[in-house]
């Protein structure tokens, strides 16, 4: 079944938003790690894994 143009646009916006959120969080986490705050590394890794899982779910839904 073909998706409507509106549905595809909505999915694209959702994907773009998720990617933007991931990149912003990732850049923030890189800054924290590079600044030498070693006690944040566990939290940084956990957040990065969660964001990647979210992107994978969105990509799977859109595929």
């Amino acid at each position: 079944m073909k998706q409507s143009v509106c549905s595809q646009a909505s999915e694209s916006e959702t994907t773009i938003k998720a990617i933007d959120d991931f990149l912003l969080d990732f850049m923030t986490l890189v800054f924290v790690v590079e600044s030498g705050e070693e006690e944040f590394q566990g939290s940084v890794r956990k957040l990065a894994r969660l964001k990647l899982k979210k992107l994978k779910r969105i990509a799977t839904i859109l595929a």
Side-chain angles (χ1 to χ4, degrees):
M1 176 187 278
K2 291 186 178 182
Q3 294 178 332
S4 70
V5 173
C6 291
S7 176
Q8 290 174 347
S10 176
E11 289 174 355
S12 292
E13 289 175 19
T14 301
T15 302
I16 290 168
K17 173 84 170 100
I19 292 169
D20 285 345
D21 289 346
F22 173 78
L23 289 175
L24 180 61
D25 288 344
F26 187 72
M27 288 185 294
T28 302
L29 297 173
V30 167
F31 172 78
V32 170
V33 170
E34 288 180 348
S35 68
E37 300 296 332
E38 294 173 6
E39 62 269 6
F40 290 115
Q41 288 183 8
S43 297
V44 167
R45 288 186 182 107
K46 181 178 179 180
L47 182 57
R49 282 191 302 269
L50 290 172
K51 290 292 183 173
L52 286 171
K53 285 180 186 178
K54 179 180 178 182
L55 286 175
K56 286 179 184 178
R57 280 195 305 266
I58 290 171
T60 302
I61 291 169
L62 296 177

